[in-house]
Amino acid sequence: MTDGPLPRGSGVVDIVDGAVAIAGRPILRGIDLSVPAGQFVALMGANGSGKSTLVRAMTGLLPLVAGTASLFGTHLARFDQWQRVGFVPQRPTAASGVPTSVWEVVASGRLTRRRLLRPLLRADREAIRDALDVVGLTDRAQDGVSTLSGGQQQRVLIARALAGEPELFFLDEPTAGVDLTSQLALTDALRTLSDRGATVVLVAHELGPLAPLVDRAVVMRDGRVAYDGPPISPADVHTHGLGEHAAYPVGDGHGHHHPQDGRRDHAPHVASPLDEQGPRP
């Protein structure tokens, strides 16, 4: 739905009874999710479970066909404060084939905070330097992005988002395909963001060294929320009836299993496929 009453939650991100369909095929159904300020949430699940689609719905890149969604208490259809939101996609390269330096890529993250073509101000340069420092790439600022490893390029994308000084971060599998050294560097960067009070929504198939940062796990299965609660250990998987084919964060405690049987499908038919879109400005 493009408008309607605000979701009932009180989080930075709120979705109530949300549904997404593409080419008439339901992808997400009956999603209820509220993320409070400062929380570090991991969206987990097997490939095709709907976790990346849920992030795209949260950021308005895919419209809901049922239910309501809001960011910072404003309905997505009316939300225009995109400088408060940082998005880090899963990409094979931060340069996308264009010769550019690490500094230039990170500086582009300031576009949400300043007018187009306006020279960088002192505050802009300080934010860029801080972002590079957080991800540990200060000494590579003038290097070409194409000369970096995949893990370093992913850190550049995090720095680009960080340079805009957002309050809410969405990250789509930032550790996928990178070595352990890069995973540890990414973990340090995300720990700094979390310590600064940022709200983080992380899509992950596996958490690895990120696991200690996670406050809450939301496990997707077949387009629905199968589990929402504290991180759980693999030993708890069968206890909660989650099945064997999803990845789970490691931790103690027991959250809330959301049974999927008996819930009606809220996704109506969509006449044509949705066009692919890039991240919102």
Side-chain angles (χ1 to χ4, degrees), residues 79-203:
F79 186 76
D80 60 1
Q81 300 177 39
W82 292 103
Q83 73 276 8
R84 303 178 72 182
V85 181
F87 179 70
V88 181
Q90 181 186 353
R91 290 182 179 176
T93 174
S96 300
V98 179
T100 187
S101 71
V102 170
W103 174 274
E104 289 168 331
V105 172
V106 177
S108 70
R110 291 298 296 176
L111 291 176
T112 59
R113 292 284 180 179
R114 62 189 183 90
R115 293 179 181 176
L116 189 64
L117 302 181
R118 192 188 75 177
L120 290 172
L121 301 178
R122 180 177 179 179
D124 298 319
R125 295 182 181 278
E126 289 178 350
I128 295 167
R129 283 193 291 266
D130 177 68
L132 287 167
D133 182 62
V134 167
V135 301
L137 290 175
T138 300
D139 61 338
R140 304 296 301 271
Q142 300 308 319
D143 292 352
V145 174
S146 61
T147 68
L148 304 184
S149 68
Q152 289 170 328
Q153 290 186 19
Q154 194 65 34
R155 284 151 63 189
V156 171
L157 294 177
I158 292 176
R160 182 180 67 179
L162 179 59
E165 300 178 293
E167 303 163 52
L168 168 64
F169 286 84
F170 291 97
L171 302 103
D172 192 355
E173 303 211 36
T175 61
V178 302
D179 60 26
L180 180 59
T181 299
S182 293
Q183 290 182 35
L184 292 172
L186 288 165
T187 299
D188 287 342
L190 294 180
R191 180 180 292 108
T192 299
L193 299 184
S194 184
D195 289 346
R196 291 179 177 183
T199 305
V200 179
V201 178
L202 169 75
V203 175

Side-chain angles (χ1 to χ4, degrees), residues 256-269:
H256 305 288
H257 171 49
H258 294 260
Q260 304 305 305
D261 296 333
R263 297 195 65 174
R264 62 190 179 93
D265 185 347
H266 293 278
H269 177 75

Side-chain angles (χ1 to χ4, degrees), residues 10 48-49 56 62 94 102 211 213 222 267:
S10 57
S49 60
R56 291 172 67 81
L62 283 176
V102 170
L213 303 182
D222 298 327

